[in-house]
Amino acid sequence: MFQAWRNLYSKSDNAKAYSLLSPALFLIILVMLIPMALMLSFSSFTQVSMMEIDFTPTFQRYIDFFEKSLLVSLLIKSVKISFIVTLITLLTAYPVCYYIAFYVKKNKMLWLVLLTLPFWTSYLLRVFSWKIILGTKGVFNSTLLGAGIISEPLTFLMYSEEAVIITLTHAWAAFALLPLYVSLEKIDFSYIEAARDLGLSKFEVFWKVTFPLSLPGVIGAILIIFIPTVGDYVTPALIGGTEGRMLSNMIQAYFGKINNIPLGAASATIMLTTVILITAIVSYTTKRLTQRLS
Amino acid sequence: MNENFIQINGISKHFGNVKAVDDVSFSIKEGEFFSLLGPSGCGKTTLLRLLAGFEYPTNGNLLIDGSDITALPPDKRPTNMVFQNYAIFPHINVEQNIKFGLRKLGLTDDEIKKRVDDVLALVKLEGYEERFSGQLSGGQRQRVALARALVRQPKVLLLDEPLGALDKKLRDEMQLELRTLQKEIGITFVFVTHDQQEAISMSDRVAVMSEGKIQQLSAPNELYKNPENIFVSDFIGETNFLKASTKSKDGDQINVAIEDLGDFKVKNNLNIPENSSDVVCSVRPESMMISRDKSDWDICLEAKINQTSYLGEMTRFYVEVSGINKVITVSSQHFDNQSFENNSCFISISLEDISLLQKK
């Protein structure tokens, strides 16, 4: 038996690969595939009463989702907030990474460490710190009040979409920095010099050479920001109030207070599908964009 | 032909305290194959980058074809460069790479097509239009880089050690090809290399650089036969240095006491003063003769062979001459290490082959 296993092992590269992957595979099956399968099956059930679930398979929950305009608008809002957060993050992180990659000569590592410094504290603490800054009696309002610029605290700062966008942008920015920095740092400076030598202005060089070559990092950054923020639950719950509520908060409510697990599961599945679709679209369009630019 | 096509007037480039290029002035002729030769860190690449516009000089000015380009950015200069690593854009194919520099020249589509086709034929890369950088060999990449620069029809082509990454055989081929190509199209080439053989075999003129300064600027054979200082003599080819001191002049010759060998009368091209002890005599290994028997040359010394190295086309002998406390290198095409009994031999020197140089 053992000998047979050894023969198989030494002959087959696949066997080697799978045995190396097996711990990770086991974990993924345990914590990803099984819960997802559970979620999918739950989405086909029906909540009859508080304690009772009808297990007859049905698609009705998905129809329910699209019939509830609240859920659809929350889905759109989640995608919109995430999109804005991703855009702001890219627009602010890209120039910083560009600067570090091409202009900082010494201590690049120090720059990166300093930029990612906020990430040494927990996500939750960072969200709370924004509460302190943006709140009615927060740093921002009391400064403006003290300076006599406003007579009443600005209330739209807190418990709003804007508050969620600010907090999420700050919370996830460092994750965009790394892929962007790596893709820019990899660009050989002689490409840029060659493009200048071939008659392009600095501006043209950026769009024809630097940006297309950094696209892998841009895609990485987009996905790394978009995927977690679209489903973020903590920030809207703590900062968003009713205005800044996102779909994930509703899903949580279905599994908790409202106690409609099948509809919650269906909402989560729809959200997952949306993210997968958007990811596919982003990858495809950036690929096309690269071809167009060159 | 314009003798002062490229004028380099008192150019210096300092990086902090380092004087990469130190007050250099010379001119390059139109249509010339000009090489900047020197060891790494001598300032040759910096000088080339100053010409390309990637660096701006600390002092001095640069003129190409009569117009001052000192302050112009790279995209406004009549120069194009072949980079050491070729810098072929990896995200676009060969054809797009070659067209890359044409979009700003205001050419019609037909003109662009003609130029691209012509340059592809020139560098023998027809059929490779669709390939990407990653699908090309080193030699092919080098040709793409050359085509991309030449297609813009620059007044001056700058080449930064373009053959360094190729293997020996391909490098030799490309040397010949580049040389032929340059004569064919007549564009002025400024070629940077640390390989003296490369510079000597390809160039019309060579500027040997060291420590940011031009040590000698002359035709390749002059560099070899009449080095102007110890650095050039040592850097170009191989040589033996013998300590010496000058005595009295005799026309354009001078009497020299070569240490341990005696007094001789040698040519004095560099006009070295009388009674100076700061001089050395340089003798090339291949200008000496090694033999079994005594010869009737100006100087003939009995010697013992210490070591030999066989190089194929010649054999190099490291010999000890009684009385001289130094190993002398002699090379020979006729003899090898089997040729001498008991390692004893004679080495002969003709006075004509002795170059007298001044120590710095």
Side-chain angles (χ1 to χ4, degrees):
Chain A
M1 172 63 197
F2 180 70
Q3 194 58 42
W5 173 245
R6 249 184 56 174
N7 282 343
L8 176 74
Y9 190 83
S10 59
K11 273 182 198 151
S12 162
D13 282 339
N14 277 342
K16 272 181 208 163
Y18 282 119
S19 61
L20 284 173
L21 282 175
S22 56
L25 275 178
F26 176 74
L27 200 66
I28 285 175
I29 290 169
L30 194 74
V31 305
M32 291 266 309
L33 292 184
I34 293 175
M36 284 227 223
L38 281 175
M39 186 176 78
L40 273 176
S41 50
F42 265 108
S43 72
S44 68
F45 303 153
T46 310
Q47 189 92 31
V48 182
S49 67
M50 271 315 255
M51 304 302 289
E52 202 183 330
I53 288 177
D54 176 3
F55 294 103
T56 327
T58 168
F59 277 113
Q60 189 55 40
R61 298 296 80 72
Y62 292 92
I63 298 166
D64 290 353
F65 180 93
F66 288 104
E67 276 173 359
K68 286 184 190 282
S69 61
L70 173 71
L71 290 179
V72 175
S73 71
L74 281 181
L75 175 66
I76 292 170
K77 196 203 260 177
S78 293
V79 172
K80 188 185 91 182
I81 288 180
S82 241
F83 178 77
I84 296 172
V85 168
T86 309
L87 195 70
I88 296 175
T89 310
L90 271 186
L91 290 179
T92 47
Y94 197 97
V96 174
C97 294
Y98 188 91
Y99 179 79
I100 301 174
F102 294 122
Y103 292 98
V104 175
K105 297 281 173 240
K106 286 183 208 163
N107 299 330
K108 289 189 181 200
M109 217 46 226
L110 182 71
W111 276 76
L112 285 176
V113 169
L114 285 176
L115 281 167
T116 47
L117 203 60
F119 289 75
W120 296 13
T121 55
S122 91
Y123 178 45
L124 214 57
L125 280 178
R126 271 175 284 142
V127 176
F128 269 114
S129 67
W130 277 106
K131 219 171 170 161
I132 294 168
I133 295 169
L134 300 174
T136 350
K137 290 180 181 169
V139 178
F140 204 70
N141 270 321
S142 38
T143 310
L144 289 182
L145 278 173
I149 297 169
I150 50 171
S151 52
E152 270 179 52
L154 300 170
T155 47
F156 70 86
L157 285 176
M158 214 25 206
Y159 304 121
S160 64
E161 250 180 75
E162 288 77 17
V164 174
I165 289 170
I166 292 172
T167 309
L168 282 178
T169 305
H170 173 247
W172 290 94
F175 291 96
L177 287 169
L178 294 175
L180 285 175
Y181 171 75
V182 170
S183 72
L184 283 165
E185 170 68 21
K186 263 200 321 200
I187 298 175
D188 193 326
F189 200 72
S190 65
Y191 291 138
I192 292 164
E193 287 185 337
R196 293 280 280 142
D197 190 62
L198 293 168
L200 269 63
S201 68
K202 280 182 179 169
F203 183 76
E204 290 165 320
V205 169
F206 177 77
W207 287 110
K208 297 287 179 196
V209 177
T210 319
F211 185 68
L213 289 178
S214 71
L215 266 179
V218 174
I219 299 175
I222 289 176
L223 298 181
I224 241 170
I225 303 293
F226 186 80
I227 294 172
T229 51
V230 79
D232 192 80
Y233 149 76
V234 176
T235 299
L238 292 174
I239 304 266
T242 42
E243 280 296 301
R245 201 162 46 171
M246 286 160 74
L247 184 61
S248 46
N249 305 99
M250 206 58 205
I251 294 172
Q252 189 258 347
Y254 280 127
F255 280 93
K257 272 184 288 187
I258 306 176
N259 196 20
N260 188 343
I261 292 171
L263 186 55
S267 308
T269 308
I270 287 165
M271 173 138 234
L272 183 68
T273 315
T274 313
V275 170
I276 290 170
L277 272 177
I278 290 173
T279 305
I281 292 168
V282 166
S283 311
Y284 178 76
T285 45
T286 35
K287 228 178 236 170
R288 288 295 302 273
L289 188 69
T290 326
Q291 286 162 359
R292 280 280 286 286
L293 279 175
S294 50
Chain B
M1 195 160 71
N2 189 345
E3 289 281 313
N4 297 320
F5 191 62
I6 304 175
Q7 290 177 54
I8 294 162
N9 298 328
I11 286 289
S12 295
K13 177 66 185 175
H14 302 171
F15 295 107
N17 292 326
V18 182
K19 292 177 178 171
V21 178
D22 190 7
D23 193 18
V24 165
S25 299
F26 62 92
S27 292
I28 297 173
K29 296 174 193 165
E30 188 172 2
E32 187 171 38
F33 197 125
F34 191 93
S35 287
L36 292 166
L37 171 66
S40 59
C42 72
K44 58 189 190 301
T45 299
T46 307
L47 193 53
L48 194 78
R49 290 172 60 80
L50 285 163
L51 281 169
F54 301 138
E55 309 282 354
Y56 295 98
T58 314
N59 285 306
N61 59 352
L62 297 165
L63 280 82
I64 291 181
D65 202 10
S67 51
D68 193 325
I69 58 151
T70 317
L72 290 183
D75 50 320
K76 301 274 183 283
R77 295 192 182 202
T79 59
N80 280 111
M81 181 138 153
V82 176
F83 287 78
Q84 189 169 16
N85 62 356
Y86 312 138
I88 312 292
F89 302 121
H91 59 300
I92 51 180
N93 65 25
V94 168
E95 190 184 357
Q96 290 164 323
N97 260 283
I98 293 172
K99 277 184 184 166
F100 196 92
L102 292 177
R103 57 179 100 221
K104 299 273 285 206
L105 296 183
L107 303 173
T108 64
D109 286 354
D110 288 346
E111 285 168 329
I112 288 179
K113 193 180 176 310
K114 186 174 182 323
R115 278 214 196 178
V116 172
D117 289 347
D118 287 353
V119 85
L120 279 171
L122 189 69
V123 299
K124 306 188 187 99
L125 270 182
E126 297 111 319
Y128 286 87
E129 290 88 341
E130 302 292 321
R131 299 268 191 110
F132 283 81
S133 168
Q135 301 164 310
L136 299 172
S137 70
Q140 290 164 342
R141 262 179 234 168
Q142 207 258 326
R143 285 160 199 268
V144 176
L146 201 59
R148 188 177 66 179
L150 285 175
V151 79
R152 283 171 56 83
Q153 303 180 349
K155 286 182 179 171
V156 179
L157 187 74
L158 308 169
L159 302 104
D160 185 9
E161 307 213 17
L163 308 180
L166 307 179
D167 56 65
K168 174 94 175 74
K169 190 108 184 132
L170 191 57
R171 196 159 64 219
D172 292 348
E173 265 176 53
M174 284 308 297
Q175 282 178 14
L176 260 174
E177 234 174 84
L178 263 183
R179 173 77 185 160
T180 318
L181 185 95
Q182 192 266 339
K183 290 297 154 217
E184 200 177 313
I185 55 179
I187 290 177
T188 311
F189 276 31
V190 182
F191 187 92
V192 157
T193 180
H194 65 268
D195 184 334
Q196 38 126 338
Q197 181 263 328
E198 202 167 276
I200 287 180
S201 68
M202 296 167 82
S203 320
D204 295 317
R205 286 193 305 156
V206 179
V208 181
M209 286 186 77
S210 142
E211 291 170 356
K213 287 184 184 300
I214 304 287
Q215 298 296 330
Q216 184 168 349
L217 195 168
S218 51
N221 57 345
E222 282 295 302
L223 281 183
Y224 184 76
K225 280 192 197 151
N226 296 315
E228 285 171 11
N229 57 44
I230 291 182
F231 178 83
V232 175
S233 176
D234 196 22
F235 191 73
I236 307 288
E238 273 195 61
T239 195
N240 295 290
F241 288 122
L242 300 169
K243 278 187 195 165
S245 54
T246 56
K247 293 184 166 172
S248 58
K249 279 186 185 173
D250 184 356
D252 51 4
Q253 291 189 309
I254 193 164
N255 289 302
V256 182
I258 301 177
E259 198 179 57
D260 304 322
L261 288 183
D263 291 4
F264 303 95
K265 196 186 278 182
V266 299
K267 61 186 187 242
N268 186 16
N269 297 351
L270 300 172
N271 205 12
I272 288 166
E274 295 179 338
N275 300 320
S276 164
S277 56
D278 281 341
V279 292
V280 290
C281 289
S282 154
V283 193
R284 301 276 184 202
E286 55 276 20
S287 69
M288 287 190 265
M289 181 177 78
I290 187 163
S291 56
R292 290 197 193 98
D293 305 312
K294 225 171 164 148
S295 76
D296 56 357
W297 288 30
D298 300 326
I299 302 172
C300 184
L301 305 161
E302 199 174 351
K304 205 152 191 74
I305 298 167
N306 250 353
Q307 235 182 348
T308 56
S309 55
Y310 180 68
L311 303 173
E313 74 272 28
M314 61 163 77
T315 305
R316 197 165 283 159
F317 297 88
Y318 301 92
V319 304
E320 246 176 287
V321 177
S322 43
I324 301 181
N325 190 19
K326 192 171 192 273
V327 175
I328 289 180
T329 314
V330 190
S331 49
S332 167
Q333 295 181 319
H334 305 293
F335 297 112
D336 59 30
N337 60 346
Q338 309 288 312
S339 312
F340 298 95
E341 273 174 51
N342 302 325
N343 288 332
S344 67
C345 66
F346 286 93
I347 58 168
S348 310
I349 305 169
S350 164
L351 289 180
E352 276 171 41
D353 295 323
I354 295 179
S355 313
L356 197 59
L357 300 164
Q358 205 155 14
K359 283 189 200 162
K360 279 267 159 92

